[in-house]
């Protein structure tokens, strides 16, 4: 579904991934057999599950799932779900899929119970146009209806307009920028944000239809012209949800790495770590660019991400997450 | 971009097309040379242009364009634009492209000057999910920005919410239907339409996010439960634009053929035929399903489509359009 990354992109991604695959990987059949053994008998041997699965890439995990199915006529993911529980289960479950399928599953989870709008914004704004499309196709295949329907059913009013608009739109992905448009739209945004009209039609139009390159140009001009970043303007003095959602859009479009890094700090600075958010970031980025996020974290938090997670989490969850970070 | 149609679909489409390609087609080079001759000298020989181009399919037209470029280092479409004018030029220009590129071009034309909302609804609702996506990709390639942006910039308020929603959404394309959902949403629609709250959030949500199969189920239940079709309910007693646009959405989702047939009758029943709408329908459907639309027309209007067009149009425009209809 996704076009193959260019060799350059692939290389860069590999460098920035934290996933460590051993030089000598056992065959998928061997892995499947060892996983089966770890699941059988009294109690599950979670350490073995993690030692295998946290060190195989998406293609290898898929082969293991197929071999397991062939050998035991059983779905490995379902078996794992029945063996383990809690945040560890959820994290390992998400890890088993490839990036695109996982994107669909995580978006669907965010629409269950209480809406997690951050995940919806991430799905819409951090993925490229092609990646978002692939996630939406996977959503159709998996859930037999559209992401748009589920976001719309879970929201109302302006938040619906914004979030449905964000997940729907097929943004132009080119680099061309119209500078005079950026200036006029920076001024429109500044006007309405200063009047606290965050939910203004024009805000929704600009955020949901312009290309990311165009939006970044608009945000840059906003700062140059008005002496304050749009992100700060959105956060100042309003306790409402809507401007917070807009701020997440801005930050995830300007820099996904910095956005995720800040989420990690928030998740780890709580009295009890937000294991849900933590796992989402680690699992979705470990095979992609977690090293970059980790570097920014270590600069800003003045401690290593590994130490921070080590202090704040425990058990199999901790062991799994730390293995993915490249402990 | 579009997946190849299955053999069955391809065959059905061929049967329902009105385009007639001769059994013995000259080579693309020969066609290109004859087109060049028709363009040169005093005055253009429009009849020759039509005799060639109105009887070549999309693949053949593309080959002719390439041969013409190779032979004369000139873009055939630009040359044609400079040789002819008016509604004939516009019709022939649109015809030169394949279905997907033409979809992007026609949508863009509908956003120039006065908005032609019908074309935007047709683009969004008559195309399948995959076809709409292909048109939007072609729009990016051709215009270097998105269809969503242009629709949003050309509209305001509720009409913007509706039209941008329609062109944005990646509808689920499967056949599964949730009957209890159809019942509850038929009732929601009936409630708000009866209160003349056409622009209600829920109307926009349902129209812009549900799959076509689900919407058709909802419209059917609407009629069964309330004794009147949603289309009639939308048309009764409101002179506003918004319910008319909703009605176009309903009709183009329920039956594109009947929708186009009615448009043809409207275009031809005017004092002066609406050559713009007429050409749009003929050019976009000639290679696809115009025979079916023509059959319905002849049943309902009690005269052949060819006679109706013959009575109401003239000149090269008429000759071209009639050739496409299979005169």
């Amino acid at each position: 579904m996704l076009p193959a990354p260019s060799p350059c992109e692939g290389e860069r991604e590999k460098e920035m991934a934290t996933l460590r695959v051993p030089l000598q990987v056992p065959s998928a059949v061997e892995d499947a057999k060892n996983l089966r053994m770890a699941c059988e008998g009294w109690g599950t041997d979670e350490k073995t599950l993690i030692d295998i699965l946290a060190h195989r890439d998406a293609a290898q995990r898929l082969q293991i799932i197929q071999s397991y199915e062939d050998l035991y006529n059983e779905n490995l993911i379902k078996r794992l779900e029945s063996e383990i529980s809690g945040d560890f289960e959820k994290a390992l479950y998400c890890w088993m899929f490839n990036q695109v399928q996982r994107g669909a599953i995580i978006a669907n989870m965010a629409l269950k119970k209480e809406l997690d709008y951050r995940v919806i914004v991430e799905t819409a704004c951090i993925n490229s146009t092609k990646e978002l499309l692939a996630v939406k196709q996977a959503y159709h295949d998996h859930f037999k209806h559209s992401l748009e329907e589920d976001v719309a059913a879970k929201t109302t009013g302006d938040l619906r307009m914004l979030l449905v608009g964000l997940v729907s739109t097929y943004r132009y992905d080119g680099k061309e920028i119209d500078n005079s448009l950026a200036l006029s739209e920076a001024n429109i945004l500044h006007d309405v944000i200063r009047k606290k009209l965050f939910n203004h039609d024009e805000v929704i139009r600009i955020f949901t239809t312009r290309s990311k390159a165009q939006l970044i140009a608009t945000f840059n001009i906003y700062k140059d012209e008005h002496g304050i970043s749009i992100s700060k303007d959105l956060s100042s003095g309003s306790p409402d949800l809507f401007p917070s959602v807009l701020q997440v859009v801005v930050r995830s479009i300007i820099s996904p790495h910095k956005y995720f890094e800040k989420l990690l700090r928030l998740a780890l600075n709580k009295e009890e770590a937000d294991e849900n958010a933590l796992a989402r970031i680690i699992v979705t980025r470990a095979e992609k660019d977690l090293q970059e996020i980790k570097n920014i974290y270590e600069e800003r938090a003045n401690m290593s991400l590994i130490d921070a997670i080590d202090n704040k989490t425990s058990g199999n969850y901790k062991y799994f997450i730390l293995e993915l970070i490249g402990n």
Side-chain angles (χ1 to χ4, degrees), chain A:
Chain A
M1 281 198 250
L2 286 172
S6 70
C8 254
E9 268 175 35
E11 278 313 302
R12 206 181 327 121
E13 217 159 75
K14 234 185 216 165
E15 271 173 34
M16 283 300 135
T18 57
L19 170 69
R20 296 289 167 259
V21 176
L23 283 175
Q24 295 278 343
V25 182
S27 73
V29 168
E30 226 171 306
D31 275 343
K33 286 182 178 170
N34 287 328
L35 289 169
R36 177 76 167 192
M37 276 211 295
C39 288
E40 294 205 316
W42 277 22
T44 310
D45 174 5
E46 287 92 351
K47 189 174 173 301
T48 298
L49 298 183
I50 296 169
D51 285 341
I52 297 172
L53 293 169
H55 298 287
R56 302 291 182 272
D57 66 27
Q60 292 164 338
R61 296 192 303 273
L62 180 62
Q63 284 182 331
I64 295 171
I65 292 168
Q66 284 165 344
S67 297
Y68 190 94
E69 182 89 44
D70 293 345
L71 285 169
Y72 307 112
N73 198 22
E74 185 181 63
N75 182 290
L76 173 60
I77 296 177
K78 285 201 177 129
R79 178 68 192 249
L80 293 173
E81 279 186 279
S82 75
E83 295 292 327
I84 55 183
S85 64
D87 284 327
F88 170 47
E89 177 206 328
K90 211 169 137 188
L92 186 63
Y93 174 81
C94 289
W95 174 246
M96 293 305 291
F97 297 93
N98 68 26
Q99 190 194 326
V100 169
Q101 296 166 325
R102 186 190 303 127
I105 288 165
I106 286 182
N108 185 262
M109 283 176 174
L111 294 164
K112 303 276 179 207
K113 294 180 202 161
E114 214 174 323
L115 169 74
D116 188 345
Y117 70 83
R118 272 185 195 81
V119 177
I120 303 304
V121 175
E122 290 164 17
T123 304
C125 300
I126 289 183
N127 283 305
S128 71
T129 297
K130 283 199 177 63
E131 286 168 342
L132 171 58
L133 177 66
V135 167
K136 294 202 289 183
Q137 285 169 335
Y139 202 98
H140 287 197
D141 294 344
H142 207 93
F143 301 109
K144 302 294 170 200
H145 55 266
S146 70
L147 176 59
E148 282 87 335
E149 286 173 277
D150 286 357
V151 174
K154 193 69 187 179
T155 50
T156 56
D158 304 319
L159 189 63
R160 178 191 283 170
M161 292 299 172
L162 178 63
L163 292 181
V164 175
L166 290 173
V167 297
S168 299
T169 194
Y170 187 68
R171 285 189 205 273
Y172 178 60
D173 227 0
K175 295 292 165 235
E176 297 87 350
I177 289 164
D178 180 336
N179 276 313
S180 68
L181 186 71
L183 175 61
S184 82
E185 295 193 340
N187 288 335
I188 293 173
L189 290 175
H190 185 257
D191 271 6
V192 295
I193 290 172
R194 277 298 160 106
K195 290 177 191 150
K196 310 270 180 216
L197 300 174
F198 303 111
N199 59 354
H200 193 282
D201 274 11
E202 287 288 272
V203 176
I204 293 177
R205 174 183 67 77
I206 294 168
F207 274 62
T208 62
T209 69
R210 293 302 183 199
S211 74
K212 287 187 195 174
Q214 182 68 31
L215 282 174
I216 290 174
T218 302
F219 300 155
N220 285 337
I221 290 184
Y222 190 108
K223 191 169 180 185
D224 292 347
E225 289 284 311
H226 305 289
I228 181 170
S229 74
I230 184 170
S231 178
K232 281 209 181 101
D233 248 356
L234 284 167
S235 66
S236 61
S238 170
D240 295 349
L241 179 64
F242 197 84
S244 308
V245 182
L246 290 178
Q247 206 193 20
V248 173
V249 177
V250 170
R251 289 173 40 223
S252 64
I253 285 177
I254 291 179
S255 171
H257 292 140
K258 289 183 188 163
Y259 165 77
F260 280 128
E261 185 278 333
K262 191 162 183 185
L263 269 198
L264 280 180
R265 264 187 297 145
L266 289 174
L268 287 164
N269 283 350
K270 291 185 177 175
E271 190 76 33
E272 265 189 73
D274 179 348
E275 298 203 334
N276 207 348
L278 187 60
R280 182 176 87 247
I281 302 166
I282 305 298
V283 164
T284 56
R285 313 311 291 189
E287 227 162 336
K288 206 173 163 76
D289 54 8
L290 188 55
Q291 188 57 48
E292 205 149 329
I293 300 167
K294 201 171 141 187
N295 294 345
I296 305 175
Y297 180 92
E298 296 183 356
E299 227 170 74
R300 301 213 172 165
N302 251 330
M303 75 187 300
S304 83
L305 183 58
I306 289 175
D307 287 346
I309 292 174
D310 191 35
N311 290 342
K312 280 292 177 84
T313 63
S314 63
N316 293 314
Y317 173 92
K318 171 162 117 179
Y319 183 57
F320 177 53
I321 293 295
L322 287 180
E323 289 301 298
L324 286 182
I325 299 185
N327 192 13

